[in-house]
Every structure is written in structure tokens, then in C-alpha cells.
């Protein structure tokens, strides 16, 4: 007698409830929540379970689905990847084609068109001349090494970015079934000379890109975006911003006093002094926007998901990763880096004195004699400075000078 099957053409037509109905030998009828019906072959390959779609019930009969499932099982027994074999039947593309598909697929998730253009420009300059026309399944770590060799020492940051992008293209090709396995590109660097190690600073957004970044940041409104915007407008550290509570603000005089215990200093002090921050117009407006996020159980400006706890610094870092905020060397910007953005703007684009910028950042003056004589908080002058930075960040003013 033949194998009894759980499914018949009549039972397939009658299946209405969402779920999976087994036919045996790895074949399943899948009914979605919307009532759509399709065939799925569930296989186990290399110890991992995978589902392979075999088509819609409206196009593939039960008999055809069983036949397709048997073909899939035969390929697995022969050590083949059914999905890869399906893609191979349609032809294996070259590196250039796969890169174009990857860029097109990710274009919507990238914050702006420039990132896609940078991706393509990097590949066109350094990769396509050697690998562009090669079939994607033929490329090896040794091929990637040959590409990197020319720029590894001369342009180390660019070389690391090129390696990452080659790896992303090859990984995407693997997930799409064009390659039978992944390529671990870090191994491509083992045969390359050691790159010089310089001083590593916190990755920071170039100040020239700040107005565009702020416009992107303000394109939607949520608590994490408001926290990052407030951090930028006040040039404060993330711990000071995320721990801020409403009692610290003098809204009438547009001042924020950060308690000493929440201020990080280069040298640990038993009793660090509080720091007064003059609030620029955009920072004051932001406090008004924050009113809708106030809760009865917390006085925090930026409450997190846990009751009585602030947002985490990781939340801001994740937001930056999503926004793809990168400096000109391609490194990921971090929240603390915006203090560097502010400091560089003061030096390069204004005539404000160094001492005022250092005071705004809460840095101690390097000269003990200078610090002893300068006991002023320079609040009024710092208010002018922060207002000028606000105008620059809004794209309404570029180069400014200290008013008399």
C-alpha cells in the first residue's frame, strides 16, 4: 500500500485557519493570516533547519508540490544548497551587478543619497577595475587582498572601508544563494603589512555637515532624537544630558545648572563644581517640545523604558548608527564626538577666544595662574557663543565673531 497522506486536494481547498498542515516527507501547506496558501519544503542542511518556498497553491497543484519537494530533498542528500541551485539556474552575476543590487536594496534605509553615492564611488575607484567583471562565486580572500594591497598603507582608513564593503557584497551574495559559503575577509588582511597606528580620537561629525545632520535629526520627533539634539545644542556629555531633570533648569533666565556630581573631570575631584549652561533659542524651544513626554513618576527630561530610569547612552549611539552619521574618514560618529564638532567649529569658523570655548565645554584652563585669575563663568559671553552655534546648526549663519 502507498503512504497515507494527510492532505488531499479537497482538504487543501478546505483549509481556512492560519497555520501549517503537514503532508509528509517535509512538505507543508502554509496558510497565512490573510488566507493565502502556499507550499513549503522544510529541510535540514548542515544541522540547520530551513524552509524553502515551492509556490502558491493557486499555481502549483498538490501533485506538483510533492514532486518539487522530492527534488529539493534529493539536492540536499547530494550535498547541494537548493536555494543556491535555484539561483545558479538563473545565471551567476558578476561582482558589479551584485554590488548594484545591494546598494539599491539598502538605498531606502540609508539616511541620504550621499551614502549610496559614496558606496558606489568607492567600489568604482578601487574594486571594479579588478573584480567588477568577475563572477561573484569565484571571488576569494586572495582576490580581495590584491585589491587592498595598493592602498593598505597609503590610505589605511579607505582600505578598511573598501574591505568592509567588499565583505558586505560577498555576504549579500551568499544570503541570496549566489555563493555557497561566506568569505571571512579579515583573513584577507593577514598577508598585508601592519598599518601604522595613530592616536584614536572619538569619531566626530565634521562641523560643515552639522546643518544637514540637524535637519535630518529633526525630520521626526521622538525622545531619543530630542536627547541627541539637546546634547548637540549644549555641547555637553551624554551622562550629563541623560541624567538631567527639570529641577536643574531656570527657564526664566534660560540657564541649566549641571550638578557637580554628574560632571566628568579629567582629574577626579572630591567636590567638583556645578557647571552653568546658557541655553540657546533652539534648546529652549526643545524644552517646550519635551513637555509632552513628562511623566508623573519621574522628573527626568529623557526617561527610558524602565520606570524612573533615563535613556541609555547606547540608545543615542544606536540612533547615530541608524542615521549613518559618519565623518569624512568613514568612521561612525558617537555622541561624545559632537563636543569635538563644536570645538573645531569655534576654532575654524569663528573668532571667539580659545578660553571661551574651553569654558563652554567645562574644561579646566591649562595654566594654573590663568585659572586662578579667571573665576568668572563668562555666562553672558557663552550665551552669545551658544546662540551663534545654534544659528550655524540651523543653517542660518556660518562665520561669526564675538560681539563687543
Amino acid at each position: 500500500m502507498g503512504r497515507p497522506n494527510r492532505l488531499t486536494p479537497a482538504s487543501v481547498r478546505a483549509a481556512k485557519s492560519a497555520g501549517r498542515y503537514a503532508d509528509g516527507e517535509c512538505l507543508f501547506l502554509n496558510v497565512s493570516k490573510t488566507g493565502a496558501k502556499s507550499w513549503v519544503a522544510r529541510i535540514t542542511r548542515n544541522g540547520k533547519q530551513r524552509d524553502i518556498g515551492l509556490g502558491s497553491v493557486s499555481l502549483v497543484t498538490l501533485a506538483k508540490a510533492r514532486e518539487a519537494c522530492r527534488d529539493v530533498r534529493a539536492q540536499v542528500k547530494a550535498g547541494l544548497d537548493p536555494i543556491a541551485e535555484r539561483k545558479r539556474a538563473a545565471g551567476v552575476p558578476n561582482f558589479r551587478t551584485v554590488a548594484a543590487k545591494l546598494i539599491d536594496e539598502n538605498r531606502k534605509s540609508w539616511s541620504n543619497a550621499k551614502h549610496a553615492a559614496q558606496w558606489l564611488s568607492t567600489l568604482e575607484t578601487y574594486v571594479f577595475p579588478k573584480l567588477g567583471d568577475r563572477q561573484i562565486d569565484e571571488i576569494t580572500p586572495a582576490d580581495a587582498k590584491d585589491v587592498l594591497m595598493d592602498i593598505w598603507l597609503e590610505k589605511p582608513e579607505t582600505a578598511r572601508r573598501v574591505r568592509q564593503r567588499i565583505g558586505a557584497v560577498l555576504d549579500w551574495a551568499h544570503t541570496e544563494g549566489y555563493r555557497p559559503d561566506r568569505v571571512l575577509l579579515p583573513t584577507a588582511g593577514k598577508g598585508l603589512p601592519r598599518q601604522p597606528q595613530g592616536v584614536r580620537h572619538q569619531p566626530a561629525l565634521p562641523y560643515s555637515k552639522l546643518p544637514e545632520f540637524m535637519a535630518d535629526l529633526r525630520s521626526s520627533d521622538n525622545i531619543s532624537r530630542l536627547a541627541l539634539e539637546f546634547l548637540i545644542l549644549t555641547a555637553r556629555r551624554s551622562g550629563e544630558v541623560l541624567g538631567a531633570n527639570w529641577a536643574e533648569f531656570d527657564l526664566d533666565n534660560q540657564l541649566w545648572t549641571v550638578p557637580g556630581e554628574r560632571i566628568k573631570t579629567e582629574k577626579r575631584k572630591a567636590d567638583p563644581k556645578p557647571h552653568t549652561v546658557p541655553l540657546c533659542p533652539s534648546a529652549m524651544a526643545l524644552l517646550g517640545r519635551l513637555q509632552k513626554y513628562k511623566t508623573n513618576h519621574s522628573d527626568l527630561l529623557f526617561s527610558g523604558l524602565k520606570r524612573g530610569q533615563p535613556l541609555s547612552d547606547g540608545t543615542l549611539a544606536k540612533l547615530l548608527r541608524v542615521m549613518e552619521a559618519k565623518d569624512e574618514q568613514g568612521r561612525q560618529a558617537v555622541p561624545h564626538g559632537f563636543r569635538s564638532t563644536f570645538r573645531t567649529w569655534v576654532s575654524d569658523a569663528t573668532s571667539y577666544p580659545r578660553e571661551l570655548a574651553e569654558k563652554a565645554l567645562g574644561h579646566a584652563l591649562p595654566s594654573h595662574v590663568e585659572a586662578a585669575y579667571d573665576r568668572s563663568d563668562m555666562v553672558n559671553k557663552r550665551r552669545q557663543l551658544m546662540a551663534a552655534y545654534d544659528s550655524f546648526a540651523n543653517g542660518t549663519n556660518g562665520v561669526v565673531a564675538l560681539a563687543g
Side-chain angles (χ1 to χ4, degrees):
M1 294 179 60
R3 176 184 57 84
N5 294 303
R6 290 187 58 190
L7 295 179
T8 64
S11 65
V12 170
R13 290 192 298 270
K16 302 296 183 184
S17 300
R20 288 197 169 178
Y21 302 82
D23 180 62
E25 294 188 351
C26 306
L27 179 64
F28 291 83
L29 168 67
N30 183 67
V31 181
S32 71
K33 292 181 179 179
T34 62
K37 300 176 184 180
S38 60
W39 300 110
V40 174
R42 173 165 290 182
I43 64 167
T44 300
R45 184 172 181 270
N46 297 330
K48 296 182 179 179
Q49 201 170 65
R50 299 173 66 184
D51 288 344
I52 299 177
L54 301 178
S56 168
V57 168
S58 62
L59 300 175
V60 180
T61 64
L62 176 57
K64 290 292 185 181
R66 288 172 180 162
E67 181 181 342
C69 187
R70 283 193 294 269
D71 291 341
V72 166
R73 291 174 61 219
Q75 288 175 338
V76 172
K77 286 182 179 180
L80 302 175
D81 183 340
I83 295 179
E85 293 304 312
R86 188 180 297 176
K87 293 291 179 66
R88 286 176 187 277
V92 179
N94 59 24
F95 185 95
R96 189 191 310 270
T97 301
V98 173
K101 289 181 178 180
L102 170 62
I103 292 171
D104 187 62
E105 185 175 285
N106 286 277
R107 195 182 301 274
K108 291 182 180 180
S109 65
W110 287 336
S111 59
N112 54 61
K114 286 185 178 179
H115 190 52
Q118 289 169 352
W119 248 79
L120 184 58
S121 175
T122 302
L123 296 177
E124 287 178 335
T125 302
Y126 302 106
V127 185
F128 287 172
K130 290 188 175 182
L131 301 182
D133 296 326
R134 294 275 302 278
Q135 281 192 322
I136 197 70
D137 62 339
E138 296 177 349
I139 295 172
T140 67
D143 295 322
K145 175 186 170 183
D146 289 342
V147 172
L148 298 170
M149 184 67 77
D150 295 337
I151 56 174
W152 191 250
L153 294 179
E154 182 183 351
K155 302 176 180 180
E157 289 290 344
T158 299
R160 286 193 284 269
R161 190 160 66 248
V162 168
R163 181 172 66 178
Q164 184 272 328
R165 289 174 181 174
I166 293 175
V169 173
L170 296 181
D171 275 352
W172 190 87
H174 169 62
T175 61
E176 292 296 304
Y178 295 129
R179 292 184 60 90
D181 50 25
R182 294 187 62 202
V183 175
L184 301 178
L185 277 194
T187 61
K190 289 185 177 179
L192 295 168
R194 185 180 181 88
Q195 290 180 327
Q197 297 295 318
V199 177
R200 292 187 178 271
H201 299 285
Q202 293 278 20
L205 188 77
Y207 71 83
S208 61
K209 296 182 180 180
L210 185 62
E212 179 184 358
F213 176 83
M214 292 295 279
D216 190 11
L217 181 63
R218 291 164 172 163
S219 63
S220 61
D221 199 17
N222 60 47
I223 193 71
S224 58
R225 285 176 178 262
L226 290 174
L228 182 57
E229 182 182 346
F230 192 71
L231 177 146
I232 294 169
L233 293 172
T234 57
R236 301 312 304 158
R237 299 176 179 90
S238 57
E240 298 169 18
V241 169
L242 297 178
N245 62 75
W246 289 100
E248 298 167 2
F249 290 83
D250 179 352
L251 299 181
D252 291 336
N253 292 305
Q254 301 179 13
L255 295 173
W256 170 33
T257 301
V258 184
E261 62 268 19
R262 217 169 58 247
I263 294 177
K264 176 184 176 183
T265 57
E266 294 180 4
K267 296 182 179 180
R268 292 188 178 277
K269 297 179 181 179
D271 185 24
K273 295 181 179 179
H275 182 73
T276 301
V277 181
L279 300 171
C280 65
S282 290
M284 288 296 297
L286 187 149
L287 293 178
R289 290 154 61 197
L290 273 173
Q291 296 295 322
K292 65 181 179 181
Y293 293 100
K294 269 190 172 183
T295 63
N296 295 326
H297 56 76
S298 176
D299 196 37
L300 290 165
L301 265 69
F302 306 105
S303 295
L305 294 177
K306 292 184 178 180
R307 188 183 182 91
Q309 295 294 315
L311 287 174
S312 69
D313 192 38
T315 302
L316 301 187
K318 181 179 179 181
L319 172 60
L320 281 169
R321 288 196 298 271
V322 171
M323 295 180 67
E324 294 289 345
K326 297 189 176 186
D327 70 11
E328 71 276 8
Q329 294 181 325
R331 295 173 298 184
Q332 191 76 44
V334 297
H336 191 81
F338 284 99
R339 285 168 59 82
S340 177
T341 300
F342 167 78
R343 186 64 183 86
T344 306
W345 170 80
V346 176
S347 297
D348 290 358
T350 82
S351 59
Y352 286 105
R354 174 186 64 84
E355 295 79 10
L356 192 65
E358 293 300 301
K359 184 71 76 171
L361 291 170
H363 288 163
L365 295 174
S367 167
H368 294 295
V369 175
E370 187 180 25
Y373 280 96
D374 180 21
R375 295 171 184 250
S376 167
D377 279 340
M378 303 182 183
V379 171
N380 290 332
K381 291 182 178 180
R382 284 195 287 124
R383 191 183 297 279
Q384 295 178 45
L385 171 61
M386 300 315 293
Y389 190 53
D390 183 18
S391 294
F392 171 74
N394 290 331
T396 57
N397 197 2
V399 180
V400 293
L402 180 63

